[in-house]
Amino acid sequence: MKPIPVAEAVAMIPDGAVLLVGGFMGVGTPERIVDEIVRQGKHELTVIANDTAKPGTGIAKLISAKLVRTAIVSHIGLNPETQQQMHAGVLTVELVPQGTLIERIRAGGFGLGGVLTPTGVGTVVEEGKRKIDVDGQDFLLETPLKGDFALVHAFLADYIGNLSYALTARNFNPLVAMAAATVIAGAEHIVPVGLIAPDHVVTPAPLVDYLVANE
Amino acid sequence: MKPIPVAEAVAMIPDGAVLLVGGFMGVGTPERIVDEIVRQGKHELTVIANDTAKPGTGIAKLISAKLVRTAIVSHIGLNPETQQQMHAGVLTVELVPQGTLIERIRAGGFGLGGVLTPTGVGTVVEEGKRKIDVDGQDFLLETPLKGDFALVHAFLADYIGNLSYALTARNFNPLVAMAAATVIAGAEHIVPVGLIAPDHVVTPAPLVDYLVANE
Amino acid sequence: MDAQTLIARRIARELRTGMLVNLGIGIPTLVANYVPANIDVFFQSENGLIGTGPIPEAGMAHPTLTDAGGRPVTALPGACTFDSAISFGLIRGGHVDMTVLGGLQVDQRGLLANWMIPGKMVPGMGGAMDLATGAKRVVVAMQHVAKGKSKIVKQCSLPLTSVRPVDLVVTELAVIAFSEGRATLSERAPGISIEEISEATEAELIIPQRVPEMIL
Amino acid sequence: MDAQTLIARRIARELRTGMLVNLGIGIPTLVANYVPANIDVFFQSENGLIGTGPIPEAGMAHPTLTDAGGRPVTALPGACTFDSAISFGLIRGGHVDMTVLGGLQVDQRGLLANWMIPGKMVPGMGGAMDLATGAKRVVVAMQHVAKGKSKIVKQCSLPLTSVRPVDLVVTELAVIAFSEGRATLSERAPGISIEEISEATEAELIIPQRVPEMIL
């Protein structure tokens, strides 16, 4: 798989696309892909990610450029712009408990019909959701999340698309790579095939559709 | 965590215990722990595992010694003794599709109320189970599986209990290590703390209760 | 060419570069021997490996590099390993582009029975139900007739593997494609007539005006 | 000793060797500074790390080794990293032995509200709901009174974090234990009387005959 220029990768994303984005408070988010989305001005995006980061980093750049119509996230507390746009009614924010969010993405990627979680039972999170009793305990049925594109940031990629991650930059990345129709990955280093030991590959090559070149 | 003799580890397992056992056709099953269970003659066991292996390897040794009362597995085709004991009525076999089995174990370990899977819908597997409609598609509600003990085989362990696995010997091991009250692990090599890179640890140390010494 | 070789060779022509492919045991396994030149596919072994290579030379195996039957395999450069939950996430989640499964019966809507014969041996379904339900494309490799009886039936008498229809059945006589609940004869084996196929088939087949011979 | 230090020091005494512990932001984070000598615990950072160490010295951080707020941390020997699904599997599955969370209100049954104030800032619940629901033991670190109002209330007026009751609340005045839907005053802060605590507490407290002073 020959890496492609970031502009070419991002050109495939239409306005209105649903993006699954790796990263946790900006750590492990593919910054160059995000920057190029801002440069190309993709509009009306839905972003599914852990959080909207802090101003100036990761997903916050998409928020600041007013490209996001809907954010499905667990946390917006470190990004006042997200709050402002939410209160102004230009951005819809769906808050999801973090453990539920990652399981919903996993369910989307793993072909499951949903997640039965105790988290949120008896709180405002349960509004509008089905409760399922299993052996006398109530669980919320949380539905799968999928995306049109996953934007993934790896530490190492090889030239067929195997990915491995560095430390806490792993976070949502391996899960979003399973849950999108098209996976675009960036990596700190792109290495020849065979240099990542089979046991150290976290995202198998067949999941990755496009690798962004390090120019 | 000082590794303990295998006899001491196995002595903790009572007759009638529910064992989650790693391995796939005997590959990645902790053979020394299994041998010791046979030597100590633990009876009336419930074994939850991918399969009952081939005679002479892994879980098949427990079957041959007639220590297993119930096996919850996806495959018994390579072990004629399992079939014989099943037909003779001394062994109850619950057959579960492999992808459902591993998700049920995961649900047990991950605090989920169950799994919604399309696998088995409209087949004999759906008998006695709830069907849940999510967005117009039927899924089976498959319930979590947990064990009293997990028997895990790693490639590397460090002296606080971090584990990594080798190639296809990984299989069910990381999942069963999440789903049991007590986790007993064996490893090809036990190495000083810090020698397994944080990104290469697959089972975090706090999950492992006992490490079996390599005598 | 014997029946198994013919079936495996014909199925190998369904492979496209970049596909993630899972081969069941039996005839399906043989497909790996006939991958066309210039086609690069990933073979998944559901015990936790992508990039499965050929059987190792004597003395060059490792006990932790095995196929789903526990037999030694090799791994190609770029291979990767993973746990069983991920392996079946790949399968159930539609990331496996094509699976090739053995079959006991396929009915005329494409429903497959391949995992048990009541009253006889019950090996367990292993990964078959997940593969038949979740893979993007399901191809069945089987003999057309067993013990004088057609295996392409009006309705399966054996327990189903999945209610999701298969896409293609390849036998030593024919290629049959399934879509919208109907079976269409799409190719004949070399030297086999439409009449011979019809006679060997219990299911109702749609027979187009032109039914080309398989290219192998 | 200021209130925050007192609370953090008292909670640190709940730690036992081998525990897997998750600390929320705010006062809970301070608990790591007061781990008793001879006690070895694992600290989890829910963004994917077990074995979190202190803040790195200037010039010795790495951008991919961070806490749940995205700030640089260190990793102790034997640390390990993992994805967010595993991180919350550890939390929801009861593998986290103890979590320390901040609180806005705790009611007399032990129900916690700590994630939003309607009409004011809505930061999102992050991992708080999973931690409050799934951790084996939930300890709340908070001031006893805010703006003249008790935070230990008869019933929470703020949105709940979980319907699973917390186990322990530690404030600058008291330690309150919850079990079977009732709140028991179990310790007083040094120099604080039972009357002072009762006066600062809206919830009904069970007050045992002897209420010892906290050991810090």
Side-chain angles (χ1 to χ4, degrees):
Chain A
M1 180 191 307
K2 194 176 148 83
I4 61 173
V6 66
E8 199 177 307
V10 168
M12 290 184 281
I13 301 172
D15 288 342
V18 177
L19 306 183
L20 293 165
V21 188
F24 197 113
M25 295 298 170
V27 178
T29 299
E31 295 287 347
R32 286 178 52 235
I33 300 175
V34 166
D35 289 342
E36 182 63 19
I37 292 174
V38 172
R39 200 187 67 79
Q40 294 190 21
K42 304 292 183 179
H43 281 277
E44 300 287 314
L45 300 172
T46 293
V47 166
I48 302 173
N50 181 60
D51 55 71
T52 57
K54 303 174 217 183
T57 66
I59 293 162
K61 298 173 185 169
L62 303 177
I63 301 287
S64 301
K66 300 203 165 67
L67 302 178
V68 182
R69 185 72 196 82
T70 304
I72 302 175
V73 294
S74 78
H75 202 266
I76 58 174
L78 299 185
N79 191 337
E81 290 189 52
T82 306
Q83 311 243 351
Q84 286 154 18
Q85 291 185 27
M86 182 176 74
H87 290 307
V90 298
L91 171 62
T92 303
V93 176
E94 184 186 326
L95 289 171
V96 182
Q98 202 169 115
T100 300
L101 181 58
I102 194 69
E103 281 293 319
R104 290 178 67 190
I105 294 169
R106 181 180 184 275
F110 280 56
L112 299 170
V115 179
L116 298 180
T117 179
T119 303
V121 169
T123 76
V124 298
V125 167
E126 78 171 31
E127 282 169 22
K129 289 171 190 160
R130 274 189 276 179
K131 260 191 276 193
I132 309 271
D133 178 313
V134 180
D135 290 333
Q137 193 190 339
D138 274 341
F139 296 92
L140 296 187
L141 195 170
E142 297 275 7
T143 51
L145 288 171
K146 295 178 91 160
D148 300 316
F149 290 84
L151 309 182
V152 172
H153 181 70
F155 181 57
L156 299 181
D158 69 21
Y159 283 107
I160 55 171
N162 285 304
L163 306 180
S164 71
Y165 304 94
L167 302 167
T168 58
R170 188 184 304 202
N171 56 68
F172 274 48
N173 280 297
L175 286 305
V176 300
M178 292 281 286
T182 301
V183 175
I184 301 175
E188 303 276 335
H189 301 280
I190 306 180
V191 300
V193 172
L195 292 202
I196 313 176
D199 283 339
H200 299 164
V201 171
V202 175
T203 295
L207 291 170
V208 178
D209 297 292
Y210 299 99
L211 213 49
V212 168
N214 288 324
E215 282 127 20
Chain B
M1 182 190 309
K2 195 175 148 85
I4 61 173
V6 66
E8 198 178 307
V10 168
M12 290 184 280
I13 301 173
D15 288 341
V18 177
L19 306 182
L20 293 164
V21 188
F24 196 113
M25 294 299 170
V27 178
T29 298
E31 296 287 347
R32 286 177 53 236
I33 299 175
V34 166
D35 290 342
E36 182 63 19
I37 292 174
V38 172
R39 200 187 66 80
Q40 295 190 20
K42 303 293 183 177
H43 282 276
E44 299 288 314
L45 301 172
T46 293
V47 166
I48 302 173
N50 181 60
D51 56 72
T52 56
K54 304 173 216 182
T57 67
I59 293 162
K61 298 172 186 169
L62 302 178
I63 301 286
S64 301
K66 298 202 166 67
L67 303 177
V68 183
R69 184 72 196 80
T70 304
I72 302 175
V73 293
S74 78
H75 201 265
I76 57 173
L78 299 185
N79 191 338
E81 291 188 50
T82 307
Q83 311 243 349
Q84 285 155 20
Q85 291 184 26
M86 182 175 74
H87 291 307
V90 298
L91 170 63
T92 302
V93 176
E94 184 186 325
L95 289 170
V96 182
Q98 202 169 115
T100 300
L101 181 58
I102 194 69
E103 281 293 318
R104 290 179 67 189
I105 294 169
R106 182 180 183 275
F110 279 57
L112 299 170
V115 179
L116 298 180
T117 179
T119 303
V121 169
T123 75
V124 297
V125 166
E126 79 172 30
E127 281 169 24
K129 289 172 190 158
R130 274 190 276 179
K131 261 193 274 193
I132 307 271
D133 179 312
V134 180
D135 290 332
Q137 194 191 339
D138 274 341
F139 296 91
L140 296 188
L141 196 171
E142 296 274 8
T143 51
L145 288 171
K146 295 179 91 159
D148 300 316
F149 290 85
L151 309 182
V152 171
H153 180 70
F155 180 57
L156 299 181
D158 69 20
Y159 284 106
I160 55 171
N162 285 304
L163 306 179
S164 71
Y165 304 95
L167 302 168
T168 58
R170 187 183 306 202
N171 56 67
F172 274 48
N173 280 298
L175 286 305
V176 301
M178 293 279 287
T182 301
V183 176
I184 302 174
E188 303 277 336
H189 303 278
I190 306 179
V191 300
V193 172
L195 293 202
I196 313 176
D199 284 338
H200 299 164
V201 171
V202 175
T203 296
L207 292 170
V208 177
D209 297 291
Y210 300 99
L211 212 50
V212 168
N214 288 324
E215 282 127 21
Chain C
M1 197 182 312
D2 66 25
Q4 297 201 346
T5 306
L6 182 142
I7 294 168
R9 286 180 68 134
R10 174 58 191 85
I11 290 175
R13 294 186 57 89
E14 299 292 308
L15 301 172
R16 299 289 175 270
T17 286
M19 273 187 172
L20 177 58
V21 179
N22 186 302
L23 303 178
I25 52 170
I27 305 177
T29 305
L30 301 177
V31 172
N33 300 337
Y34 303 106
V35 181
N38 305 321
I39 296 284
D40 269 326
V41 298
F42 298 98
F43 286 114
Q44 178 201 29
S45 186
E46 66 262 31
N47 53 323
L49 175 63
I50 288 176
T52 309
I55 293 167
E57 289 178 51
M60 292 180 72
H62 191 269
T64 65
L65 190 54
T66 48
D67 68 13
R71 290 172 298 261
V73 289
T74 53
L76 303 175
C80 66
T81 54
F82 35 82
D83 68 43
S84 296
I86 291 177
S87 194
F88 280 85
L90 292 167
I91 289 167
R92 212 190 304 95
H95 305 286
V96 169
D97 297 293
M98 180 169 141
T99 185
V100 185
L101 297 171
L104 296 168
Q105 293 178 328
V106 176
D107 79 12
Q108 64 195 30
R109 296 167 298 168
L111 301 196
L112 170 68
N114 82 340
W115 73 280
M116 78 173 288
I117 304 175
K120 296 210 178 170
M121 214 190 71
V122 185
M125 66 292 279
M129 286 190 169
D130 294 287
L131 282 160
T133 303
K136 223 179 269 175
R137 191 150 187 263
V138 180
V139 176
V140 175
M142 66 179 191
Q143 309 262 0
H144 208 101
V145 173
K147 296 176 189 164
K149 281 185 142 177
S150 177
K151 294 173 74 174
I152 322 269
V153 296
K154 284 196 194 302
Q155 188 155 8
C156 292
S157 57
L158 297 173
L160 292 179
T161 304
S162 177
V163 292
R164 174 263 175 92
V166 307
D167 297 282
L168 205 69
V169 172
V170 178
T171 75
E172 76 283 15
L173 301 183
V175 177
I176 299 168
F178 295 84
S179 81
E180 293 165 14
R182 302 170 72 183
T184 302
L185 177 62
S186 58
E187 295 176 27
R188 299 170 291 122
I192 302 292
S193 70
I194 290 177
E195 291 66 35
E196 285 172 284
I197 295 166
S198 294
E199 208 158 293
T201 307
E202 182 196 304
E204 263 178 54
L205 288 182
I206 296 172
I207 299 177
Q209 280 210 307
R210 195 179 151 275
V211 179
E213 265 195 13
M214 290 179 194
I215 296 167
L216 296 170
Chain D
M1 197 181 311
D2 66 23
Q4 297 201 346
T5 307
L6 183 143
I7 294 168
R9 286 179 69 132
R10 175 59 191 83
I11 291 175
R13 294 185 57 89
E14 298 292 309
L15 302 172
R16 300 289 176 271
T17 286
M19 273 188 172
L20 176 58
V21 178
N22 186 301
L23 303 178
I25 51 170
I27 307 177
T29 306
L30 302 176
V31 171
N33 300 336
Y34 304 106
V35 181
N38 305 321
I39 297 283
D40 270 326
V41 298
F42 298 99
F43 286 113
Q44 178 201 30
S45 186
E46 66 261 33
N47 53 323
L49 174 64
I50 288 176
T52 308
I55 294 167
E57 289 179 51
M60 292 180 73
H62 191 269
T64 65
L65 189 54
T66 48
D67 68 13
R71 290 171 299 260
V73 289
T74 52
L76 302 176
C80 65
T81 54
F82 35 81
D83 68 43
S84 296
I86 291 177
S87 194
F88 280 84
L90 292 167
I91 290 167
R92 213 190 304 97
H95 305 287
V96 169
D97 297 292
M98 179 169 140
T99 185
V100 185
L101 297 171
L104 296 169
Q105 292 178 327
V106 175
D107 79 12
Q108 64 195 32
R109 296 167 298 167
L111 301 195
L112 170 68
N114 81 341
W115 72 281
M116 78 173 287
I117 304 175
K120 297 208 178 172
M121 214 188 73
V122 184
M125 67 291 281
M129 287 190 169
D130 293 288
L131 283 160
T133 304
K136 223 179 269 174
R137 191 147 188 265
V138 179
V139 176
V140 176
M142 66 179 191
Q143 309 262 0
H144 208 102
V145 173
K147 297 179 190 162
K149 283 186 142 177
S150 177
K151 296 174 74 175
I152 322 270
V153 296
K154 284 195 194 301
Q155 186 155 8
C156 291
S157 57
L158 297 173
L160 292 179
T161 304
S162 176
V163 292
R164 174 262 175 94
V166 307
D167 297 282
L168 205 70
V169 173
V170 178
T171 75
E172 76 284 14
L173 301 183
V175 177
I176 298 169
F178 295 85
S179 81
E180 293 166 12
R182 302 171 73 182
T184 303
L185 177 62
S186 57
E187 296 175 27
R188 300 170 290 122
I192 302 292
S193 70
I194 291 179
E195 291 64 35
E196 287 173 283
I197 294 166
S198 293
E199 208 159 294
T201 307
E202 181 195 307
E204 262 178 56
L205 288 182
I206 297 173
I207 299 176
Q209 280 209 303
R210 194 179 153 274
V211 180
E213 265 195 12
M214 290 180 195
I215 296 167
L216 294 170

